[in-house]
Amino acid sequence: MTVADAASRSDAPTQSQGIDWARLHLWGAMLGIGLQPISTATGNIGFGIAVAATAPRAMTLLPEWRAMLRSGWMLCLIAWLAFSWMSLLWSPDVRFGAEQFRATRVVLWIPVLWPLRTHWMHLVSAILIGTTIMAVIQALQLTVRWPLSRRFG
């Protein structure tokens, strides 16, 4: 099954004005997830692409997001995040704690990816492609001293 076929199997019709928003959402999430392993900058760009691809479907996805918020694992995650933020109140180094807590922004991927959970194989493939690209870049840096502008000691 191709990515286009998988995206068109969406539970709700999402085409308007000739744009298949479900397919765009899947491709945007795949691109966003594939950029994550490469670097922080490309990961942030990828997240922006994924959010931009999700936004047009927001009204269609509201029932799914409501169900997700009522699930037990999500309630536990929200409680853990709230406790983590509250624990900064008695932390000896609040600035460092807040900086470390920024890493939890990865949970913002959950609402983007939740509606695509049935397409997990495509999403895992995107992660593997991104990881492979990163491995090739690292191998080139080691063997060919690429990029050429960088000189090693």
Side-chain angles (χ1 to χ4, degrees):
M1 174 184 306
T2 66
V3 174
D5 294 337
S8 64
R9 282 190 314 144
S10 180
D11 50 320
T14 57
Q15 287 198 4
S16 64
Q17 301 171 356
I19 298 173
D20 186 356
W21 295 109
R23 184 173 297 165
L24 181 66
H25 183 198
L26 180 60
W27 278 98
M30 287 174 57
L31 180 61
I33 260 188
L35 291 174
Q36 289 298 312
I38 297 173
S39 74
T40 304
T42 60
N44 290 338
I45 291 168
F47 180 70
I49 291 169
V51 168
T54 307
R57 296 187 68 203
M59 295 309 288
T60 306
L61 298 174
L62 273 178
E64 278 197 62
W65 287 336
R66 285 187 186 124
M68 176 190 67
L69 284 173
R70 286 189 298 266
S71 63
W73 65 270
M74 183 54 92
L75 294 174
C76 290
L77 179 63
I78 291 169
W80 174 74
L81 289 171
F83 178 77
S84 296
W85 270 108
M86 285 185 345
S87 69
L88 291 177
L89 295 174
W90 58 82
S91 173
D93 192 356
V94 175
R95 183 171 297 170
F96 178 74
E99 185 177 321
Q100 293 299 309
F101 196 73
R102 283 187 9 202
T104 60
R105 70 180 182 266
V106 74
V107 300
L108 297 174
W109 273 100
I110 295 172
V112 172
L113 297 177
W114 181 257
L116 301 172
R117 64 191 179 279
T118 58
H119 307 298
W120 64 271
M121 205 176 310
H122 297 96
L123 299 171
V124 170
S125 297
I127 292 170
L128 292 176
I129 290 168
T131 304
T132 302
I133 290 170
M134 188 62 226
V136 167
I137 290 170
Q138 289 175 340
L140 285 173
Q141 287 175 339
L142 181 64
T143 59
V144 186
R145 297 182 187 258
W146 178 81
L148 296 176
S149 63
R150 178 190 265 176
R151 296 290 176 220
F152 297 97

